[in-house]
Amino acid sequence: MAQRTRADALSRERIVEAAVELLDADGERGLTFRTLTERLATGPGAIYWHVPNKGELLAAATASVIGDALTVATTGSPWEEIRALGIGLFEAIDRHPWLSAQLAVQLSRSPWSSVTPRIFDSIGRRVSALGVPEATWFTATSALAHYIFGAAGQNAANARVLRSGGTDRAEYLRAAASAWEELDPAEFPFLKSIADQVREHDDREQFLTGIDLILTGITAQGRT
Amino acid sequence: MAQRTRADALSRERIVEAAVELLDADGERGLTFRTLTERLATGPGAIYWHVPNKGELLAAATASVIGDALTVATTGSPWEEIRALGIGLFEAIDRHPWLSAQLAVQLSRSPWSSVTPRIFDSIGRRVSALGVPEATWFTATSALAHYIFGAAGQNAANARVLRSGGTDRAEYLRAAASAWEELDPAEFPFLKSIADQVREHDDREQFLTGIDLILTGITAQGRT
DNA sequence: ACCTGAACACCGTTCAAGT
DNA sequence: ACCTGAACACCGTTCAAGT
């Protein structure tokens, strides 16, 4: 077969789509140019014609998956919409756990290109509608964004442990709580004291409580 | 030379120390087993005798650098100590920018081993001393930790751009602000509106404002 | 017990050559 | 313009052999 027919022609979109599938299936180590060329039945040169390098491919995969999570109904109060945005990102990271490390890498490599501006704008738009002084907008947006990524990533990590091991959720939490209780109280007094809270908490609910906490801070600080 | 004399004997500590130096000098791509063996004047086998693999080496380098940042004076109010802790981590990440992505990777890979418990305990201890209900401790601690890592990482990324390029800070901020102002207002209304705030802000001060914001939320929510 | 260094499997990337 | 596939430089890791 010389050139491809139009139906199976390679394109940036098809490559990114395949990359996301490989990442979902096996995490970051699941995506290599070998697995990618195999799945797309082509050679590395063909992929490099559409994509400059692996970093850009990962960035494109991240942008593609985050994009959907940022489109949220605009029918609620700003507070409600921020919660909805948080849940959307929370679930995206839960479905695609590789997003967590990838977002951090992108943020720390090129903070103001690629996907970051869209996330900041999406959150910031609602923050500016909360009715707090303009001087607080940027810091408030940044606090929300970092909390969402961090907490969602941590949840995804827990979820991954749960899926990979055969253990169920209750058992996992019980094991974690017991492990904390056996920590040296001189070195880890706090973890020890909250060990039993971990036993019966709901991840989603706790995540939303954190968003409410920050929103409370934003509005309270804005008022003083 | 057959075996090493006692003075230059290899050890886990010496390997980790060399790894940190390489990471500081050139980021994550600066640390390979070739550069490491070269600096330590040895072969890969010698390193593998002290360290199980590269992942563990990165984890050890992270723990070594974070450890110092977590020891903070215990003479202030909980609120003040949390601010001091934040500044300590902020500066550690500023000095060792590779920490940012590394902490995210560690958190998302094995959330409750390695360095995470120590960070959580260090922050959580002060949170529990704030006088808010115990039910809020864990969420509050998590919000603080994620904000600190995220915001510090973003600052480090900006700082790295500044150091690598020849541009100075004022010029960089002016360029960023101008770029935001030229964004499509339909797609990025928020970034456009805060473009001029970016021109004259202090990173450290803004970082601390964010911590105060979250602490305000914690204590306000605890009161209702 | 601790170290040497050649060898292995695998990775991202390039490029002359084809259509 | 788009694709092929061999080749290159480099990476983490292993292991038989030494002292």
Side-chain angles (χ1 to χ4, degrees):
Chain A
M1 168 189 60
Q3 197 118 342
R4 284 158 177 274
T5 64
R6 192 123 63 89
D8 68 341
L10 225 47
S11 66
R12 199 180 144 94
E13 295 92 74
R14 282 200 58 220
I15 294 169
V16 170
E17 192 185 339
V20 169
E21 284 167 22
L22 288 168
L23 287 165
D24 287 348
D26 261 321
E28 195 160 348
R29 33 153 282 207
L31 176 64
T32 74
F33 274 81
R34 322 275 155 170
T35 59
L36 199 54
T37 53
E38 195 181 346
R39 167 163 302 221
L40 293 168
T42 180
I47 291 171
Y48 275 93
W49 203 89
H50 294 277
V51 168
N53 55 51
K54 193 180 181 182
E56 296 272 343
L57 179 55
L58 280 165
T62 304
S64 143
V65 167
I66 286 290
D68 304 335
L70 288 180
T71 55
V72 76
T74 58
T75 55
S77 68
W79 191 301
E80 281 163 359
E81 284 183 24
I82 290 170
R83 283 173 59 111
L85 216 44
I87 282 290
L89 289 165
F90 183 87
E91 285 173 349
I93 292 174
D94 193 57
R95 267 196 306 274
H96 313 282
W98 50 272
L99 269 180
S100 173
Q102 201 47 46
L103 281 166
V105 169
Q106 310 241 106
L107 244 157
S108 78
R109 221 183 318 263
S110 53
W112 292 116
S113 65
S114 74
V115 80
T116 323
R118 278 162 66 201
I119 294 167
F120 262 71
D121 201 273
S122 199
I123 299 175
R125 217 140 61 201
R126 274 92 183 182
V127 167
S128 66
L130 281 171
V132 296
E134 187 165 349
T136 66
W137 291 356
F138 191 72
T139 300
T141 301
S142 150
L144 279 166
H146 294 311
Y147 170 74
I148 290 170
F149 294 155
Q154 203 172 318
N155 175 73
N158 287 332
R160 203 161 1 155
V161 173
L162 275 171
R163 274 195 280 269
S164 70
T167 52
D168 68 336
R169 188 185 142 78
E171 189 182 335
Y172 173 70
L173 291 180
R174 238 180 296 124
S178 306
W180 289 8
E181 267 162 359
E182 275 156 28
L183 290 171
D184 178 5
E187 203 181 352
F188 297 105
F190 174 70
L191 288 187
K192 221 171 136 60
S193 74
I194 60 155
D196 50 343
Q197 271 187 49
V198 117
R199 242 180 284 259
E200 42 201 307
H201 81 281
D202 180 84
D203 297 309
R204 252 172 101 99
E205 199 184 319
Q206 183 172 352
F207 173 76
L208 281 173
T209 306
I211 291 189
D212 287 338
L213 183 158
I214 298 176
L215 284 170
T216 301
I218 292 170
T219 49
Q221 201 176 56
R223 229 178 276 117
T224 53
Chain B
M1 167 191 56
Q3 198 118 339
R4 284 157 175 278
T5 64
R6 192 123 64 91
D8 67 342
L10 225 46
S11 66
R12 198 181 144 95
E13 295 90 76
R14 282 200 57 222
I15 294 169
V16 170
E17 193 185 339
V20 170
E21 285 168 22
L22 288 169
L23 287 165
D24 286 348
D26 261 323
E28 194 161 349
R29 33 153 281 206
L31 175 64
T32 73
F33 274 80
R34 322 275 155 169
T35 58
L36 198 54
T37 53
E38 195 180 347
R39 168 163 302 221
L40 293 168
T42 181
I47 291 171
Y48 275 93
W49 203 90
H50 293 278
V51 168
N53 54 52
K54 194 180 181 183
E56 296 272 342
L57 178 55
L58 281 164
T62 304
S64 144
V65 167
I66 285 290
D68 304 334
L70 288 181
T71 56
V72 76
T74 57
T75 54
S77 66
W79 189 302
E80 281 162 0
E81 284 184 24
I82 290 170
R83 282 172 60 111
L85 215 45
I87 282 290
L89 289 165
F90 183 88
E91 284 172 351
I93 292 174
D94 193 57
R95 267 195 307 275
H96 313 282
W98 50 272
L99 269 180
S100 172
Q102 201 49 44
L103 281 167
V105 169
Q106 310 240 107
L107 245 156
S108 77
R109 227 191 306 271
S110 52
W112 292 116
S113 66
S114 72
V115 81
T116 322
R118 278 162 66 200
I119 295 168
F120 262 70
D121 202 90
S122 199
I123 299 175
R125 218 139 62 200
R126 276 91 183 182
V127 167
S128 66
L130 282 171
V132 297
E134 188 166 348
T136 66
W137 290 357
F138 190 72
T139 301
T141 302
S142 150
L144 280 166
H146 294 312
Y147 171 74
I148 290 169
F149 293 157
Q154 204 171 319
N155 176 73
N158 287 333
R160 201 162 2 156
V161 173
L162 275 171
R163 275 194 280 268
S164 71
T167 52
D168 69 334
R169 187 185 141 77
E171 190 182 334
Y172 173 70
L173 292 179
R174 237 180 296 123
S178 306
W180 289 8
E181 267 162 356
E182 275 156 26
L183 290 171
D184 178 4
E187 203 180 353
F188 297 106
F190 174 71
L191 288 187
K192 220 172 136 64
S193 74
I194 60 153
D196 51 342
Q197 271 187 49
V198 119
R199 243 180 286 257
E200 44 202 303
H201 81 283
D202 180 85
D203 295 311
R204 253 172 99 98
E205 199 183 320
Q206 183 171 353
F207 173 75
L208 281 173
T209 307
I211 290 190
D212 287 338
L213 184 158
I214 297 176
L215 285 171
T216 302
I218 292 170
T219 49
Q221 202 176 53
R223 231 177 276 117
T224 54

